Amino acid sequence: MRQEHLSSRVSSNDDERTLLQNVRHPDWRNPEPIDRYNLAIIGAGPAGMLTALSAARVGAKVALIERDRFGGTCLNVGCISSKAIIRTSRLYAEMRNAENFGAQVPTGISVEFSAVMERMRRVRARIGRRISAQRLSSMGVDVYFGEARFAGPEAIVVEGKRLRFKRALVASGARPALPAIPGIAKAGYLTNESVFDLTECPRRLLVLGGGPLGCELAQAFCRLGSQVSIVQNDPMFLGNEERDAAQILSDALARDGIGIHLNTEASNVRTEGNQKLVDLVSDDYKFTVAVDEILVGIGSAPNVEGMNLEAAGVQYDKEAGIPTNEYLQTTNPRIYAAGDVCSEHKFPHIEAAAAHLVVHNALFWGRERLSALPIPWCTYTDPEIAHVGVYVTEARAKGIPVKTFTVMMHDVDRAVTDGEDEGFVKIHVREGTDKILGATVAASHAGEMITELSLAMNAGIGLRALARVNHPYPTQAQAIKMAADAYLDTRRTPARKWLYKQWLAW
Ligand SMILES: Cc1cc2nc3c(=O)[nH]c(=O)nc-3n(C[C@H](O)[C@H](O)[C@H](O)COP(=O)(O)OP(=O)(O)OC[C@H]3O[C@@H](n4cnc5c(N)ncnc54)[C@H](O)[C@@H]3O)c2cc1C
């Protein structure tokens, strides 16, 4: 269980106070419930808030219940906080590399960690203004603060008030999964719920877990001055990604100076003075690293406890969360679930798609399916690794014939001028057609570039049409057009070439 709610921490500066005013106003008074809500939502993270907003926009009577802070993990201890410090860490990496760009910066750049964290809090407070309880309330959503519990299949109780509903959405999110490593609890460790409260940069940091969270924060802290090691129990980082993308990331982390331990597990932790000694095992090789802090990023556990889901007839699993069908209905078809409490892919923009779907399906008898949407995602390391649609291995396992068009970033002019020529764009099409099935981009701005491919997949646009899209020159996204051009080249069969030759003989 989460040991403390975020708002119980003392806010130590103006930005934190501004954030709290918006995401959990200290004087908030819950409204009186109306007779029956069209939609009652548990959790005001991205999934709950976006659904509440969409439902209110179409005129539905909506109740939104939050036990802690508006914005959930994403705003308070996830995407926003991490991206803010990643931005600063990239800047430091660029400054250290300035000479390669013909620029001079003073030697011995020193990082002022507290200023980095202050900026992060400023950014968080600014974004928090858009995500305020007051704003949602002014848009017609009844906002309740307190722990929500089902009191049967048609009612939720919060702070002694009974909210009756026609439809409900459980968007209670997830919390960091805790490691079962002997000694680690006693020695103490950080998770995403505490790492953004640090006021000093740990001199030596061990990151447990080589997924997106572990890789992003390992690189960021390394660039901010920590001596970082990362431990991953798989043979590569980012378990699901294409091997060559994961390899590019591994090389990049090693170049930054991060100690990389793949195929490795932590078996024990103990303290010695102020330091933590972590025993690591890789096959038969055992060794110990001494660090000042351990950051755990080994996945998440769904928030399913305490809501009395049994009373509502909603089945759940403590590890896998709430099972839903493709329309996001739980085992009680009038109750939906969305976001990290149930999703396989845990990203807020999936929550945006899910919000639209829940409103459509729950309030208007729609039959939209989440699986019908191509969903892109990105790991914001340097270079970034982004993906949409199927992986080659997945397609092959399903017996779908695939052809891949690859462009290396070192062949893309803008990537070369920017000194960001590492990586590739890979687009997979169904063999013999130009239909895009999936794509992986490993590049400095992969997160921006994948959107074009996502749009193409969403709109059913193939590589033939993409080849005709003019891209401003020079841009890194031109790699996508180059891949599309490569597809066109394959359409120029010897017979067609012969015909062109005859025609042009005049
Ligand atoms: C470090 C980190 C970085 C990340 N970076 C990215 C990124 O760059 N891009 C990206 O796409 N994703 C990122 N993510 C993932 C993203 O944050 C989550 O996918 C997203 O926050 C999930 O939204 P949600 O609404 O499902 O749940 P949450 O954001 O967890 O919100 C759930 C809310 O429900 C409330 N709640 C729970 N139980 C109850 C109850 N009984 N009563 C009332 N309220 C309740 C909680 O307090 C919480 O506010 C990151 C995550 C982390 C940890």
Side-chain angles (χ1 to χ4, degrees), residues 2 5 42-49 65-80 82-83 146-149 171-175 192 196 213 216-217 303 305-307 338-341 345-349 351 377-378 380:
R2 196 176 196 172
H5 290 338
I42 300 180
M49 276 203 342
I65 311 156
E66 172 57 52
R67 67 178 177 190
D68 196 357
R69 290 181 177 199
F70 261 49
T73 305
C74 181
L75 172 69
N76 296 291
V77 289
C79 333
I80 301 300
S82 59
K83 264 75 263 176
E147 191 89 33
R149 268 178 74 79
S172 51
R175 57 188 186 276
N192 65 292
F196 301 111
L213 186 157
E216 286 182 6
L217 292 183
N303 291 327
E305 300 87 354
M307 284 183 287
D340 283 6
V341 73
H345 304 301
K346 301 194 186 321
F347 303 111
H349 53 282
E351 270 72 89
W377 58 83
C378 183
Y380 296 91

Side-chain angles (χ1 to χ4, degrees), residues 220-290:
F221 273 90
C222 168
R223 290 173 164 198
L224 292 174
S226 269
Q227 197 180 310
V228 178
S229 305
I230 183 166
V231 171
Q232 160 82 327
N233 56 5
D234 281 344
M236 57 186 237
F237 292 122
L238 306 182
N240 294 331
E241 295 303 340
E242 313 236 350
R243 274 182 170 275
D244 36 10
Q247 188 58 51
I248 281 179
L249 175 58
S250 193
D251 294 346
L253 297 184
R255 236 185 356 259
D256 270 324
I258 295 173
I260 292 180
H261 304 289
L262 294 168
N263 257 333
T264 304
E265 300 221 21
S267 60
N268 189 63
V269 182
R270 62 194 185 281
T271 50
E272 191 181 84
N274 286 335
Q275 62 180 356
K276 304 174 205 292
L277 301 179
V278 186
D279 294 334
L280 300 174
V281 187
S282 181
D283 293 328
D284 291 338
Y285 178 54
K286 294 186 181 151
F287 58 109
T288 301
V289 292

Side-chain angles (χ1 to χ4, degrees), residues 172-495:
S172 51
R175 57 188 186 276
L178 304 184
I181 303 166
I184 193 166
K186 192 162 172 238
Y189 59 92
L190 301 164
T191 67
N192 65 292
E193 291 187 348
S194 49
V195 71
F196 301 111
D197 288 343
L198 285 177
T199 49
E200 276 177 40
C201 191
R203 194 169 66 80
R204 298 165 302 175
L205 174 71
L206 180 76
V207 177
L208 288 182
L213 186 157
C215 292
E216 286 182 6
L217 292 183
Q219 192 177 46
F221 273 90
C222 168
R223 290 173 164 198
L224 292 174
S226 269
Q227 197 180 310
V228 178
S229 305
I230 183 166
V231 171
Q232 160 82 327
N233 56 5
D234 281 344
M236 57 186 237
F237 292 122
L238 306 182
N240 294 331
E241 295 303 340
E242 313 236 350
R243 274 182 170 275
D244 36 10
Q247 188 58 51
I248 281 179
L249 175 58
S250 193
D251 294 346
L253 297 184
R255 236 185 356 259
D256 270 324
I258 295 173
I260 292 180
H261 304 289
L262 294 168
N263 257 333
T264 304
E265 300 221 21
S267 60
N268 189 63
V269 182
R270 62 194 185 281
T271 50
E272 191 181 84
N274 286 335
Q275 62 180 356
K276 304 174 205 292
L277 301 179
V278 186
D279 294 334
L280 300 174
V281 187
S282 181
D283 293 328
D284 291 338
Y285 178 54
K286 294 186 181 151
F287 58 109
T288 301
V289 292
V291 293
D292 304 297
E293 292 286 2
I294 301 168
L295 170 64
V296 175
I298 54 167
S300 58
N303 291 327
V304 287
E305 300 87 354
M307 284 183 287
N308 202 14
L309 289 169
E310 297 81 357
V314 175
Q315 272 175 20
Y316 65 90
D317 179 278
K318 283 191 174 171
E319 279 172 22
I322 301 179
T324 61
N325 63 16
E326 291 211 292
Y327 310 106
L328 293 182
Q329 287 167 306
T330 66
T331 44
N332 176 343
R334 284 150 36 89
I335 300 180
Y336 292 71
D340 283 6
V341 73
C342 62
S343 284
E344 186 193 341
H345 304 301
K346 301 194 186 321
F347 303 111
H349 53 282
I350 299 177
E351 270 72 89
H356 166 80
L357 191 142
V358 168
V359 170
H360 204 250
N361 290 356
L363 302 179
F364 296 103
W365 308 104
R367 298 298 277 171
E368 288 189 19
R369 288 174 299 128
L370 194 62
S371 60
L373 303 165
I375 293 176
W377 58 83
C378 183
T379 299
Y380 296 91
T381 40
D382 181 16
E384 297 176 350
I385 311 291
H387 180 83
V388 62
V390 300
Y391 293 100
V392 179
T393 44
E394 213 180 324
R396 286 200 185 122
K398 288 181 185 160
I400 303 170
V402 168
K403 181 155 180 62
T404 300
F405 295 92
T406 305
V407 171
M408 302 306 290
M409 292 309 287
H410 59 67
D411 290 327
V412 180
D413 293 355
R414 182 57 186 273
V416 176
T417 61
D418 286 347
E420 297 174 341
D421 58 351
E422 195 183 14
F424 56 77
V425 167
K426 264 189 185 186
I427 304 178
H428 312 304
V429 295
R430 181 181 271 274
E431 193 155 15
T433 76
D434 72 337
K435 184 180 162 61
I436 303 171
L437 299 176
T440 293
V441 180
S444 271
H445 308 285
E448 307 290 341
M449 289 163 68
I450 202 78
T451 312
E452 181 177 346
L453 293 159
S454 225
L455 169 71
M457 288 177 72
N458 241 318
I461 294 168
L463 278 190
R464 183 188 297 274
L466 270 189
R468 281 197 222 106
V469 175
N470 285 321
H471 289 66
Y473 177 85
T475 52
Q476 296 199 18
Q478 228 158 7
I480 294 169
K481 177 160 166 47
M482 289 163 74
D485 286 341
Y487 161 78
L488 280 191
D489 284 346
T490 64
R491 308 308 295 165
R492 294 194 187 102
T493 55

Side-chain angles (χ1 to χ4, degrees), residues 76-98:
N76 296 291
V77 289
C79 333
I80 301 300
S81 318
S82 59
K83 264 75 263 176
I85 69 165
I86 284 170
R87 175 67 188 95
T88 314
S89 72
R90 216 184 233 218
L91 185 63
Y92 275 110
E94 283 176 355
M95 285 197 285
R96 289 188 194 105
N97 196 22

